[in-house]
């Protein structure tokens, strides 16, 4: 279980650095982040939130009381992500953040996005995401840019 940085801690306001080495320590960090996210009952977590200023996050959509029809997906480790295309359509939805315990805010996000990222083995993946999964990706991507929900309030 890793300590989760809370709003105001410097690392949450900094842009994270690209991942170069897909080595054992990286896999170990991802494993610890997954455990931390599960214990905190989140649907995602970004490396800066656990004090690591690198471009890595985990997204793990599952049905929850705010998004009962959210897809159940195996946790996905996303490394060096890029957002290639953003839909014109935007949707407002409720979000929370493990770094802002107890906060729930309405945030405007693109309904669908085309993304490209590396997995833990360094393989590039490219896909379109929509709905809640696209929302999680955009939320975690913001963390890599040093942005939190506070900066996103309409
Ligand atoms: O599971 C959570 C807890 S907050 C959470 O999982 C954040 C991810 C997230 C929740 C909701 C929308 C987008 C991203 C995790 C963070 F902060 F580390 F990124 C949740 C909160 C509100 C709506 C739906 C689900
Ligand atoms: Zn967050």
């Amino acid at each position: 279980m890793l300590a989760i940085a809370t709003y105001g801690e410097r690392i949450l306001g900094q842009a994270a650095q690209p991942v170069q080495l897909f080595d054992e320590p990286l896999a170990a960090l991802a494993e610890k982040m997954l455990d931390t996210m599960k214990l905190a009952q989140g649907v995602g977590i970004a490396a800066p939130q656990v004090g690591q200023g690198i471009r890595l996050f985990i997204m793990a959509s599952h049905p929850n009381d705010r998004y009962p029809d959210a897809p159940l997906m195996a946790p996905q480790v996303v490394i060096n992500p890029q957002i290639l295309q953003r839909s014109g359509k935007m949707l407002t939805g409720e979000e929370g953040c493990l770094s802002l315990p107890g906060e729930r805010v309405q945030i405007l996000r693109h309904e669908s996005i085309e993304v490209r990222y590396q997995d833990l083995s360094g393989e590039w993946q490219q896909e379109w995401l929509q709905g809640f999964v696209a929302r999680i990706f955009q939320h975690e991507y913001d963390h890599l840019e040093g942005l939190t929900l506070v900066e996103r309030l309409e």
Side-chain angles (χ1 to χ4, degrees), residues 12 16 21 45 60 91 99 109 111 130:
L12 292 177
L21 270 179
I45 191 165
L91 282 179
S99 297
R109 300 282 188 189
E111 201 278 332
Q130 54 267 328

Side-chain angles (χ1 to χ4, degrees), residues 49 96-99 139-140 143 148-149:
Q49 291 181 281
C97 186
L98 299 179
S99 297
H139 178 116
E140 304 307 340
H143 277 304
T148 68
L149 294 181

Side-chain angles (χ1 to χ4, degrees), residues 11 14-15 20 41 65 70 72 76 86 91 98-99 102 104 112 130 143 147 150:
I11 191 154
Q14 296 171 330
Q20 317 269 3
Q41 295 177 330
D65 47 0
L72 176 61
Q76 177 67 56
R86 297 170 167 85
L91 282 179
L98 299 179
S99 297
R104 289 284 179 265
S112 60
Q130 54 267 328
H143 277 304
L147 296 172
V150 176

Side-chain angles (χ1 to χ4, degrees), residues 30-51:
E31 188 64 35
K32 286 201 210 98
M33 286 174 62
L34 185 61
D35 293 344
T36 302
M37 181 197 72
K38 284 179 178 171
L39 272 171
Q41 295 177 330
V43 292
I45 191 165
Q49 291 181 281
V50 293

